[in-house]
Amino acid sequence: AASPVATGRAARWLADVKTLATVHEADLRVTVLLDVSVLSGAPGVFSVRLPPGLDLVGTSGVTLDSSQRQGERLELRVTDPARRRHQFLVSLERAVGSEWRGVEVPLVAVEGAQRETGEVAVEAVGTLELTAREEGTLKRIDLREASQALRTLAQQAVLAAFRYRHRPSEP
């Protein structure tokens, strides 16, 4: 997904992923703010691994030229590969209906990132019983510790917030 620059150096980047999961009676909406910092090279496309079962609602970004979903991957092509920073907003959703028991908040991942950090917040429209548990590198945080960008995305009361750090060698 990365193209090398003329000097032959491979492209390398870090990813910061902010995820807001909004739980409704009939559906789950996931809004993801991707912040990619390029360390070297000039990647023209970033590939994002999408969770199964979610429909892509939209993508946007100042440097976004085009986006294309291919199965469980979303390819984000940029207008200026030489830029050191790219931000994208990705919206996903799925109908849930009466199957709310055991539904987990799905996370996206930027493929090829040397390191990925992220935050997750869960908000609900209506009355909801939530069981929020830490798992793997996902650690619960106080909402006040969550980034301003993530708190700004929320339009309802945030019920739980988490932070994580992911390396390519980790599941």
Side-chain angles (χ1 to χ4, degrees), residues 60-103:
S60 62
V62 174
T63 62
L64 182 64
D65 180 42
S66 65
S67 63
Q68 182 177 5
R69 182 170 189 165
Q70 296 180 344
E72 302 303 318
R73 285 190 169 61
L74 174 64
E75 289 191 354
L76 302 170
R77 188 166 304 282
V78 297
T79 56
D80 183 5
R83 285 189 70 163
R84 300 287 102 196
R85 184 167 181 236
H86 303 278
Q87 255 190 350
F88 310 104
L89 189 65
V90 178
S91 301
L92 306 159
E93 70 180 11
R94 82 168 187 210
V96 178
S98 61
E99 56 183 81
W100 273 117
R101 287 201 141 173
V103 171

Short mmCIF file of all heavy atoms in Angstrom, two decimals, residues 60-103:
data_model
loop_
_atom_site.label_atom_id
_atom_site.label_comp_id
_atom_site.label_asym_id
_atom_site.label_seq_id
_atom_site.Cartn_x
_atom_site.Cartn_y
_atom_site.Cartn_z
N SER A 60 -13.96 11.18 4.24
CA SER A 60 -13.60 12.54 3.89
C SER A 60 -12.21 12.84 4.44
O SER A 60 -11.68 12.10 5.27
CB SER A 60 -14.62 13.55 4.45
OG SER A 60 -14.65 13.49 5.86
N GLY A 61 -11.63 13.92 3.95
CA GLY A 61 -10.32 14.35 4.40
C GLY A 61 -9.77 15.39 3.45
O GLY A 61 -10.04 15.34 2.25
N VAL A 62 -9.02 16.34 3.98
CA VAL A 62 -8.48 17.42 3.17
C VAL A 62 -7.57 16.88 2.06
O VAL A 62 -7.62 17.35 0.93
CB VAL A 62 -7.71 18.43 4.06
CG1 VAL A 62 -7.01 19.48 3.21
CG2 VAL A 62 -8.67 19.08 5.04
N THR A 63 -6.76 15.88 2.38
CA THR A 63 -5.83 15.34 1.38
C THR A 63 -6.37 14.09 0.68
O THR A 63 -5.64 13.46 -0.08
CB THR A 63 -4.47 15.01 2.03
OG1 THR A 63 -4.66 13.99 3.02
CG2 THR A 63 -3.83 16.24 2.64
N LEU A 64 -7.63 13.75 0.92
CA LEU A 64 -8.22 12.55 0.31
C LEU A 64 -8.59 12.83 -1.14
O LEU A 64 -9.37 13.72 -1.44
CB LEU A 64 -9.45 12.12 1.10
CG LEU A 64 -10.14 10.84 0.61
CD1 LEU A 64 -9.21 9.64 0.75
CD2 LEU A 64 -11.43 10.62 1.38
N ASP A 65 -8.02 12.05 -2.04
CA ASP A 65 -8.34 12.14 -3.46
C ASP A 65 -9.52 11.23 -3.77
O ASP A 65 -10.48 11.63 -4.41
CB ASP A 65 -7.12 11.77 -4.30
CG ASP A 65 -7.40 11.86 -5.79
OD1 ASP A 65 -8.05 12.83 -6.22
OD2 ASP A 65 -6.97 10.95 -6.52
N SER A 66 -9.43 9.98 -3.31
CA SER A 66 -10.51 9.01 -3.54
C SER A 66 -10.41 7.90 -2.52
O SER A 66 -9.38 7.69 -1.89
CB SER A 66 -10.42 8.43 -4.95
OG SER A 66 -9.23 7.67 -5.09
N SER A 67 -11.52 7.19 -2.36
CA SER A 67 -11.53 6.02 -1.47
C SER A 67 -12.26 4.90 -2.19
O SER A 67 -13.17 5.14 -2.98
CB SER A 67 -12.21 6.35 -0.14
OG SER A 67 -13.56 6.68 -0.35
N GLN A 68 -11.83 3.68 -1.90
CA GLN A 68 -12.44 2.52 -2.53
C GLN A 68 -12.42 1.36 -1.55
O GLN A 68 -11.36 1.02 -1.00
CB GLN A 68 -11.71 2.14 -3.81
CG GLN A 68 -12.33 0.97 -4.52
CD GLN A 68 -11.63 0.66 -5.83
OE1 GLN A 68 -10.62 1.24 -6.17
NE2 GLN A 68 -12.18 -0.28 -6.57
N ARG A 69 -13.59 0.78 -1.34
CA ARG A 69 -13.68 -0.39 -0.47
C ARG A 69 -13.48 -1.64 -1.31
O ARG A 69 -14.07 -1.79 -2.38
CB ARG A 69 -15.03 -0.44 0.22
CG ARG A 69 -15.12 -1.62 1.17
CD ARG A 69 -16.31 -1.58 2.03
NE ARG A 69 -16.21 -2.63 3.04
CZ ARG A 69 -16.94 -2.68 4.11
NH1 ARG A 69 -17.84 -1.74 4.34
NH2 ARG A 69 -16.79 -3.65 4.98
N GLN A 70 -12.63 -2.52 -0.79
CA GLN A 70 -12.40 -3.81 -1.43
C GLN A 70 -12.50 -4.86 -0.33
O GLN A 70 -11.53 -5.12 0.37
CB GLN A 70 -11.03 -3.85 -2.10
CG GLN A 70 -10.91 -2.86 -3.23
CD GLN A 70 -9.55 -2.90 -3.90
OE1 GLN A 70 -8.59 -3.44 -3.37
NE2 GLN A 70 -9.47 -2.33 -5.09
N GLY A 71 -13.69 -5.42 -0.16
CA GLY A 71 -13.92 -6.40 0.89
C GLY A 71 -13.77 -5.77 2.26
O GLY A 71 -14.46 -4.81 2.59
N GLU A 72 -12.85 -6.29 3.04
CA GLU A 72 -12.62 -5.79 4.41
C GLU A 72 -11.55 -4.70 4.45
O GLU A 72 -11.05 -4.37 5.52
CB GLU A 72 -12.24 -6.94 5.34
CG GLU A 72 -13.28 -8.05 5.41
CD GLU A 72 -14.65 -7.56 5.84
OE1 GLU A 72 -14.72 -6.74 6.77
OE2 GLU A 72 -15.66 -7.99 5.24
N ARG A 73 -11.18 -4.16 3.29
CA ARG A 73 -10.17 -3.10 3.22
C ARG A 73 -10.76 -1.85 2.58
O ARG A 73 -11.57 -1.92 1.67
CB ARG A 73 -8.97 -3.55 2.40
CG ARG A 73 -8.09 -4.51 3.11
CD ARG A 73 -6.80 -4.72 2.35
NE ARG A 73 -5.81 -5.43 3.11
CZ ARG A 73 -5.94 -6.65 3.59
NH1 ARG A 73 -7.05 -7.29 3.40
NH2 ARG A 73 -4.98 -7.23 4.27
N LEU A 74 -10.29 -0.73 3.08
CA LEU A 74 -10.65 0.55 2.51
C LEU A 74 -9.35 1.22 2.08
O LEU A 74 -8.45 1.42 2.90
CB LEU A 74 -11.37 1.42 3.55
CG LEU A 74 -11.69 2.86 3.14
CD1 LEU A 74 -12.68 2.87 1.98
CD2 LEU A 74 -12.24 3.62 4.33
N GLU A 75 -9.24 1.51 0.79
CA GLU A 75 -8.05 2.18 0.29
C GLU A 75 -8.32 3.67 0.21
O GLU A 75 -9.28 4.10 -0.42
CB GLU A 75 -7.65 1.63 -1.08
CG GLU A 75 -7.11 0.23 -1.00
CD GLU A 75 -6.46 -0.23 -2.28
OE1 GLU A 75 -6.52 0.49 -3.30
OE2 GLU A 75 -5.87 -1.32 -2.26
N LEU A 76 -7.45 4.45 0.85
CA LEU A 76 -7.55 5.90 0.86
C LEU A 76 -6.39 6.46 0.04
O LEU A 76 -5.23 6.38 0.45
CB LEU A 76 -7.49 6.42 2.30
CG LEU A 76 -8.56 5.87 3.25
CD1 LEU A 76 -8.25 6.26 4.69
CD2 LEU A 76 -9.94 6.36 2.83
N ARG A 77 -6.70 7.01 -1.13
CA ARG A 77 -5.69 7.58 -2.02
C ARG A 77 -5.59 9.07 -1.73
O ARG A 77 -6.60 9.76 -1.64
CB ARG A 77 -6.09 7.35 -3.48
CG ARG A 77 -5.02 7.74 -4.48
CD ARG A 77 -5.32 7.18 -5.85
NE ARG A 77 -5.51 5.74 -5.90
CZ ARG A 77 -4.52 4.84 -5.87
NH1 ARG A 77 -3.27 5.23 -5.79
NH2 ARG A 77 -4.78 3.55 -5.93
N VAL A 78 -4.37 9.58 -1.58
CA VAL A 78 -4.17 10.99 -1.21
C VAL A 78 -3.77 11.84 -2.41
O VAL A 78 -3.20 11.33 -3.38
CB VAL A 78 -3.13 11.14 -0.08
CG1 VAL A 78 -3.63 10.46 1.19
CG2 VAL A 78 -1.78 10.58 -0.47
N THR A 79 -4.07 13.13 -2.33
CA THR A 79 -3.77 14.07 -3.42
C THR A 79 -2.30 14.46 -3.44
O THR A 79 -1.75 14.73 -4.49
CB THR A 79 -4.61 15.35 -3.28
OG1 THR A 79 -4.37 15.92 -1.99
CG2 THR A 79 -6.08 15.06 -3.47
N ASP A 80 -1.67 14.50 -2.26
CA ASP A 80 -0.28 14.96 -2.16
C ASP A 80 0.53 13.98 -1.31
O ASP A 80 0.64 14.15 -0.10
CB ASP A 80 -0.24 16.37 -1.56
CG ASP A 80 1.16 16.94 -1.49
OD1 ASP A 80 2.12 16.30 -1.99
OD2 ASP A 80 1.31 18.04 -0.92
N PRO A 81 1.10 12.94 -1.93
CA PRO A 81 1.86 11.95 -1.17
C PRO A 81 3.06 12.52 -0.40
O PRO A 81 3.52 11.92 0.56
CB PRO A 81 2.33 10.96 -2.24
CG PRO A 81 1.36 11.12 -3.35
CD PRO A 81 0.99 12.57 -3.34
N ALA A 82 3.56 13.68 -0.79
CA ALA A 82 4.73 14.26 -0.12
C ALA A 82 4.38 14.88 1.23
O ALA A 82 5.28 15.17 2.03
CB ALA A 82 5.37 15.31 -1.02
N ARG A 83 3.10 15.09 1.52
CA ARG A 83 2.71 15.67 2.81
C ARG A 83 3.08 14.73 3.94
O ARG A 83 3.04 13.52 3.81
CB ARG A 83 1.21 15.95 2.86
CG ARG A 83 0.86 17.18 2.03
CD ARG A 83 -0.53 17.59 2.22
NE ARG A 83 -0.76 18.14 3.56
CZ ARG A 83 -1.81 18.87 3.88
NH1 ARG A 83 -2.71 19.13 2.98
NH2 ARG A 83 -1.95 19.32 5.08
N ARG A 84 3.43 15.30 5.06
CA ARG A 84 3.85 14.52 6.22
C ARG A 84 2.68 14.09 7.11
O ARG A 84 2.84 13.24 7.97
CB ARG A 84 4.84 15.31 7.09
CG ARG A 84 6.12 15.72 6.37
CD ARG A 84 7.04 14.53 6.15
NE ARG A 84 6.92 14.10 4.76
CZ ARG A 84 7.32 12.94 4.28
NH1 ARG A 84 7.89 12.06 5.05
NH2 ARG A 84 7.16 12.61 3.04
N ARG A 85 1.51 14.72 6.92
CA ARG A 85 0.37 14.39 7.79
C ARG A 85 -0.91 14.35 6.97
O ARG A 85 -1.15 15.22 6.14
CB ARG A 85 0.25 15.44 8.89
CG ARG A 85 -0.83 15.10 9.88
CD ARG A 85 -0.73 15.98 11.12
NE ARG A 85 -1.77 15.60 12.04
CZ ARG A 85 -2.66 16.44 12.53
NH1 ARG A 85 -2.61 17.72 12.20
NH2 ARG A 85 -3.57 16.03 13.35
N HIS A 86 -1.70 13.32 7.24
CA HIS A 86 -2.99 13.15 6.58
C HIS A 86 -4.04 12.83 7.64
O HIS A 86 -3.76 12.08 8.58
CB HIS A 86 -2.95 12.00 5.57
CG HIS A 86 -1.90 12.15 4.52
ND1 HIS A 86 -2.07 12.94 3.40
CD2 HIS A 86 -0.65 11.65 4.43
CE1 HIS A 86 -0.98 12.88 2.66
NE2 HIS A 86 -0.10 12.11 3.27
N GLN A 87 -5.22 13.41 7.50
CA GLN A 87 -6.34 13.12 8.39
C GLN A 87 -7.54 12.69 7.57
O GLN A 87 -7.85 13.32 6.56
CB GLN A 87 -6.73 14.35 9.21
CG GLN A 87 -6.28 14.29 10.63
CD GLN A 87 -6.88 15.40 11.48
OE1 GLN A 87 -7.50 16.33 10.99
NE2 GLN A 87 -6.66 15.30 12.76
N PHE A 88 -8.20 11.62 8.02
CA PHE A 88 -9.37 11.11 7.33
C PHE A 88 -10.47 10.85 8.34
O PHE A 88 -10.21 10.47 9.48
CB PHE A 88 -9.05 9.77 6.63
CG PHE A 88 -7.81 9.80 5.79
CD1 PHE A 88 -6.64 9.20 6.24
CD2 PHE A 88 -7.80 10.41 4.54
CE1 PHE A 88 -5.49 9.21 5.46
CE2 PHE A 88 -6.66 10.42 3.76
CZ PHE A 88 -5.50 9.81 4.22
N LEU A 89 -11.70 11.04 7.91
CA LEU A 89 -12.87 10.72 8.73
C LEU A 89 -13.63 9.63 7.99
O LEU A 89 -13.97 9.78 6.81
CB LEU A 89 -13.75 11.96 8.92
CG LEU A 89 -14.89 11.80 9.92
CD1 LEU A 89 -14.34 11.61 11.33
CD2 LEU A 89 -15.79 13.03 9.88
N VAL A 90 -13.85 8.51 8.67
CA VAL A 90 -14.52 7.36 8.07
C VAL A 90 -15.76 7.04 8.90
O VAL A 90 -15.68 6.95 10.13
CB VAL A 90 -13.59 6.12 8.04
CG1 VAL A 90 -14.30 4.91 7.45
CG2 VAL A 90 -12.31 6.43 7.26
N SER A 91 -16.91 6.89 8.23
CA SER A 91 -18.17 6.58 8.92
C SER A 91 -18.66 5.20 8.48
O SER A 91 -18.72 4.91 7.29
CB SER A 91 -19.24 7.62 8.58
OG SER A 91 -18.81 8.90 8.97
N LEU A 92 -19.00 4.39 9.48
CA LEU A 92 -19.47 3.03 9.25
C LEU A 92 -20.73 2.80 10.07
O LEU A 92 -20.95 3.47 11.07
CB LEU A 92 -18.40 2.02 9.69
CG LEU A 92 -17.00 2.19 9.12
CD1 LEU A 92 -15.98 1.51 10.00
CD2 LEU A 92 -16.96 1.62 7.71
N GLU A 93 -21.55 1.81 9.65
CA GLU A 93 -22.71 1.47 10.46
C GLU A 93 -23.19 0.07 10.12
O GLU A 93 -22.83 -0.49 9.09
CB GLU A 93 -23.85 2.47 10.28
CG GLU A 93 -24.53 2.44 8.94
CD GLU A 93 -25.65 3.46 8.83
OE1 GLU A 93 -25.80 4.32 9.70
OE2 GLU A 93 -26.39 3.38 7.84
N ARG A 94 -24.00 -0.47 11.03
CA ARG A 94 -24.67 -1.74 10.76
C ARG A 94 -25.94 -1.82 11.59
O ARG A 94 -26.01 -1.29 12.70
CB ARG A 94 -23.77 -2.92 11.04
CG ARG A 94 -23.68 -3.33 12.47
CD ARG A 94 -23.01 -4.68 12.58
NE ARG A 94 -23.08 -5.12 13.95
CZ ARG A 94 -22.20 -5.88 14.52
NH1 ARG A 94 -21.16 -6.28 13.86
NH2 ARG A 94 -22.35 -6.25 15.77
N ALA A 95 -26.93 -2.46 11.02
CA ALA A 95 -28.18 -2.69 11.74
C ALA A 95 -27.94 -3.78 12.77
O ALA A 95 -27.19 -4.73 12.53
CB ALA A 95 -29.27 -3.12 10.76
N VAL A 96 -28.54 -3.63 13.93
CA VAL A 96 -28.34 -4.61 15.00
C VAL A 96 -29.66 -5.24 15.42
O VAL A 96 -29.74 -6.43 15.59
CB VAL A 96 -27.65 -3.97 16.22
CG1 VAL A 96 -27.49 -4.98 17.33
CG2 VAL A 96 -26.29 -3.43 15.83
N GLY A 97 -30.70 -4.46 15.56
CA GLY A 97 -31.99 -4.99 15.95
C GLY A 97 -31.97 -5.61 17.34
O GLY A 97 -31.46 -5.02 18.28
N SER A 98 -32.47 -6.81 17.49
CA SER A 98 -32.60 -7.45 18.80
C SER A 98 -31.37 -8.23 19.23
O SER A 98 -31.37 -8.90 20.24
CB SER A 98 -33.81 -8.38 18.79
OG SER A 98 -33.63 -9.38 17.81
N GLU A 99 -30.29 -8.17 18.48
CA GLU A 99 -29.10 -8.96 18.79
C GLU A 99 -28.06 -8.20 19.62
O GLU A 99 -26.88 -8.47 19.55
CB GLU A 99 -28.46 -9.48 17.50
CG GLU A 99 -28.11 -8.37 16.53
CD GLU A 99 -27.54 -8.88 15.24
OE1 GLU A 99 -28.31 -9.28 14.37
OE2 GLU A 99 -26.31 -8.86 15.11
N TRP A 100 -28.48 -7.26 20.44
CA TRP A 100 -27.53 -6.43 21.19
C TRP A 100 -26.69 -7.20 22.17
O TRP A 100 -25.61 -6.77 22.53
CB TRP A 100 -28.26 -5.29 21.90
CG TRP A 100 -28.40 -4.11 21.03
CD1 TRP A 100 -29.56 -3.56 20.59
CD2 TRP A 100 -27.35 -3.32 20.45
NE1 TRP A 100 -29.31 -2.50 19.78
CE2 TRP A 100 -27.96 -2.32 19.68
CE3 TRP A 100 -25.98 -3.37 20.49
CZ2 TRP A 100 -27.23 -1.38 18.98
CZ3 TRP A 100 -25.25 -2.43 19.79
CH2 TRP A 100 -25.88 -1.45 19.05
N ARG A 101 -27.15 -8.31 22.64
CA ARG A 101 -26.35 -9.07 23.60
C ARG A 101 -25.04 -9.51 22.96
O ARG A 101 -25.03 -10.13 21.90
CB ARG A 101 -27.09 -10.29 24.08
CG ARG A 101 -28.20 -9.95 25.00
CD ARG A 101 -28.52 -11.13 25.78
NE ARG A 101 -28.78 -10.60 27.12
CZ ARG A 101 -29.23 -11.29 28.09
NH1 ARG A 101 -29.43 -12.56 27.93
NH2 ARG A 101 -29.45 -10.74 29.25
N GLY A 102 -23.94 -9.18 23.56
CA GLY A 102 -22.65 -9.63 23.08
C GLY A 102 -22.08 -8.85 21.91
O GLY A 102 -21.07 -9.24 21.35
N VAL A 103 -22.70 -7.75 21.51
CA VAL A 103 -22.16 -6.94 20.42
C VAL A 103 -20.93 -6.20 20.93
O VAL A 103 -20.96 -5.57 21.97
CB VAL A 103 -23.22 -5.95 19.90
CG1 VAL A 103 -22.59 -4.97 18.92
CG2 VAL A 103 -24.35 -6.69 19.25
#
